Amino acid sequence: MKKILTTAAAVAIAASAAHAQDVTLRIQTHYASEHPSGVLAAQFADDVQVMSGGEIAIEMFYSSSVVATTETFDAAINGILDCDMTGGAYQTGKNPAFQFVGDIMGGYDTPWQQISWLYYGGGYDAAQELYNAQGMQLIGWWLYGQESLSSSKPLAGPDDLKGWKFRSPPGLETEIFTEMGATPIVMDFTEIFTALETGIIDGADASGLYNNVGLGLYDIVSHATYPGFHSMPSDHLACNQAVWDGLSEKHQRIIDTAMQKLTLHTALSNEKKNAEAAAELQAKGVTLHNWSAKDRADFRKAAQTSWDRWAEKTPEAAALVASHREYLTALGLIAE
């Protein structure tokens, strides 16, 4: 009887300890649940829950349903949420260095190169210092590849940017394109369609080729850059550092592994969708402009001028710019 009672007590203690490890993470993404990226985010949540044997439950909030997209990071810092699945570029107001983990602008040619910087170019440690200073932990990236510029005029090379009026997000991009002679106009994403129809702008930086088709942009304009060269935004998974540190190593590894799967499939699925969209658009008479290596190098050179100005803003920005430049040089994308 004594052995039975001792065994029962040990089982009860073990069960209690296992239960104490169970955790629920509240995560917000700006993507809608039906958006392809929202579907992939749901798969990430399911992977974590299944691999953890139900020890980790993820409560995913879509379409920025808890707080505004730009406020998601702060909501995770302050405990309203546990993790942020938007993007670092929204946090440049905290530190301009976030630009270089959110959208490097004119940096890498492919998502694989950019992901390689994170894991094999010293990027993870360099970026982690930036996140930790805000009380957050960077877990990983998910990026869909190069964005395409849409235009009513040809965009065959740098010369075509001179005087080109286009919708641009604020910040670093406006500086780079101004340097190239273009006229970036900052406007809300929702205003693009009407601005193109009325001729207020000649084109737009909106998203990747596949997403631009879904927006109906090529019902109005008949030119696009593809593959793109100017912008490859990376969304992140970043968690409250205290929450992350409170997880067991087992749970941390499960989340990290699921995030790397999300990274892979985001890039793979969008590469396929963009290729299909390119074939569809060419069949409809839309001209796709693939810039030469020299033209891409010219754009990257102009981008670096703006990078250097941003590097002067904070030591963290300077460190990230230096890290990217070193790795881009190692990849042969920047001449020594």
Side-chain angles (χ1 to χ4, degrees):
M1 180 61 73
K2 183 177 180 181
K3 286 183 179 180
I4 292 172
L5 291 173
T6 301
T7 301
V11 170
I13 291 170
S16 176
H19 181 72
Q21 290 181 358
D22 289 357
V23 62
T24 297
L25 296 176
R26 298 157 298 165
I27 304 177
Q28 176 171 285
T29 174
H30 50 316
Y31 292 109
S33 59
E34 65 273 12
H35 186 281
S37 293
V39 172
L40 287 170
Q43 182 62 57
F44 159 80
D46 185 63
D47 286 339
V48 170
Q49 289 167 179
V50 171
M51 286 193 290
S52 70
E55 292 175 5
I56 307 173
I58 291 183
E59 194 173 356
M60 188 71 73
F61 298 98
Y62 299 93
S63 303
S64 300
S65 56
V66 177
V67 296
T69 298
T70 56
E71 298 170 2
T72 308
F73 196 80
D74 278 334
I77 291 173
N78 297 323
I80 298 169
L81 297 164
D82 296 306
C83 303
D84 169 13
M85 258 183 135
T86 61
Y90 292 117
Q91 305 308 319
T92 54
K94 292 184 181 300
N95 191 319
F98 276 104
Q99 178 69 53
F100 300 100
V101 295
D103 195 344
I104 298 151
M105 304 297 305
Y108 302 92
D109 281 336
T110 70
W112 315 113
Q113 292 169 342
Q114 191 160 308
I115 295 165
S116 177
W117 170 79
L118 188 69
Y119 289 111
Y120 293 100
Y124 190 82
D125 289 339
Q128 199 62 262
E129 290 185 24
L130 178 66
Y131 281 78
N132 288 169
Q134 302 292 331
M136 293 287 281
Q137 180 81 10
L138 173 65
I139 314 305
W141 275 353
W142 50 323
L143 55 156
Y144 54 77
Q146 288 282 3
E147 294 195 334
S148 291
L149 298 169
S150 305
S151 178
S152 59
K153 302 176 180 180
L155 290 177
D159 288 344
D160 290 332
L161 293 179
K162 292 179 172 62
W164 183 60
K165 296 182 299 180
F166 76 107
R167 178 268 174 186
S168 170
L172 179 61
E173 178 166 329
T174 62
E175 297 179 22
I176 295 171
F177 276 91
T178 299
E179 190 87 18
M180 300 289 288
T183 306
I185 299 172
V186 176
M187 64 173 63
D188 190 80
F189 198 84
T190 58
E191 299 174 26
I192 294 174
F193 201 89
T194 302
L196 284 172
E197 281 188 316
T198 56
I200 294 173
I201 54 176
D202 303 316
D205 174 19
S207 187
L209 195 70
Y210 169 77
N211 288 338
N212 289 342
V213 170
L215 290 170
L217 298 187
Y218 304 112
D219 295 334
I220 306 174
V221 301
S222 57
H223 296 272
T225 57
Y226 179 79
F229 58 87
H230 75 289
S231 171
M232 187 157 47
S234 50
D235 293 320
H236 63 204
L237 173 63
C239 295
N240 178 291
Q241 193 172 359
V243 170
W244 180 256
D245 290 345
L247 298 175
S248 66
E249 183 181 0
K250 168 188 166 183
H251 286 174
Q252 289 178 351
R253 288 199 180 193
I254 287 170
I255 294 168
D256 176 66
T257 299
M259 189 64 205
Q260 291 190 45
K261 177 187 172 184
L262 174 60
T263 303
L264 173 67
H265 284 277
T266 299
L268 284 176
S269 62
N270 276 278
E271 189 167 301
K272 176 178 182 288
K273 290 170 183 173
N274 284 336
E276 291 170 344
E280 175 189 328
L281 289 173
Q282 287 178 307
K284 291 181 178 179
V286 174
T287 303
L288 303 180
H289 301 279
N290 184 5
W291 282 27
S292 68
K294 180 184 181 303
D295 289 343
R296 290 170 182 267
D298 287 346
F299 185 87
R300 189 172 286 118
K301 184 177 180 180
Q304 288 179 73
T305 300
S306 296
W307 294 356
D308 290 339
R309 283 196 293 265
W310 278 60
E312 294 173 358
K313 296 183 178 185
T314 64
E316 295 82 6
L320 283 170
V321 168
S323 179
H324 282 301
R325 184 173 273 121
E326 181 181 353
Y327 199 60
L328 286 161
T329 301
L331 293 178
L333 295 172
I334 289 179
E336 293 191 53

